[in-house]
Amino acid sequence: MRIHIGTDHAGLEFSQTLQQHLRDAGHEVIDHGPQEFDPLDDYPAFCINAAKGVIADQQAGVQALGVVFGGSGNGEQIAANKVLGIRAALVWNESTALLARQHNDANVIAIGARQHTVDEAISFIDTFIAEPFSFEGRHVRRIAQLAEFEATGDIAGKNVDK
């Protein structure tokens, strides 16, 4: 599988270790930066580029997921979710990583590099990558509603405030 990675200075060292783990596990890793430590760098472009890479690959029929890092993972999740078609989930344990895939068909996860050890993050990522979407009806329906709102600004019959 192709895994797109984006981070900021807070997650740079973390990211490099995790990229090697993913390569050792047989995944192709695309690093969207940064390439060097800059304590004043800004995460949005790195995370948006990782998310755009995931969408481009998925649209081309390539199996791809993304992982974005930062101090807390919150801003990185928000940045990734600005890309049309991305469903990024903040994960903080194996259960949230599992449910992000099972219930939400998340295609990107965000992890707080200052919140977890490298071993914990590896566990979250491995769980996320290994878990398929359940295709359970209620989850398919909810994801379709999110996509409808993303495309139209409304969810037909669901009383979305205008």
Side-chain angles (χ1 to χ4, degrees):
M1 179 171 305
R2 188 173 293 162
I3 310 294
H4 293 267
I5 304 284
T7 188
D8 70 355
H9 62 276
L12 182 60
E13 186 176 329
F14 211 70
S15 175
Q16 292 166 344
T17 301
L18 296 168
Q19 287 182 49
Q20 189 59 54
H21 168 77
L22 291 167
R23 286 186 186 100
D24 291 347
H27 300 290
E28 178 185 0
V29 177
I30 309 297
D31 182 3
H32 294 275
Q35 303 307 313
E36 58 188 43
F37 182 79
D38 175 356
L40 299 177
D41 69 8
D42 298 314
Y43 62 82
F46 302 127
C47 296
I48 288 168
N49 287 338
K52 288 176 77 170
V54 170
I55 289 299
D57 279 347
Q58 289 180 338
Q59 289 174 342
V62 176
Q63 280 193 314
L65 294 171
V67 182
V68 293
F69 299 95
S72 70
N74 285 310
E76 294 74 21
Q77 175 200 25
I78 292 167
N81 274 320
K82 297 299 180 185
V83 176
L84 186 66
I86 287 295
R87 288 177 306 282
L90 179 66
V91 300
W92 60 90
N93 59 28
E94 287 183 13
S95 179
T96 56
L98 183 83
L99 292 171
R101 289 290 300 141
Q102 275 182 358
H103 290 189
N104 305 111
D105 198 18
N107 46 14
V108 172
I109 57 171
I111 299 173
R114 292 181 178 149
Q115 314 303 314
H116 303 285
T117 67
V118 171
D119 288 340
E120 288 172 332
I122 286 171
S123 173
F124 305 162
I125 293 166
D126 288 349
T127 298
F128 175 72
I129 291 170
E131 188 64 27
F133 177 52
S134 70
F135 289 98
E136 187 178 329
R138 65 188 170 123
H139 302 307
V140 170
R141 182 179 67 248
R142 292 167 184 165
I143 291 167
Q145 289 174 14
L146 293 171
E148 179 183 356
F149 182 81
E150 190 173 50
T152 69
D154 196 14
I155 303 172
K158 294 297 181 182
N159 299 316
V160 172
D161 292 337
K162 303 230 186 229

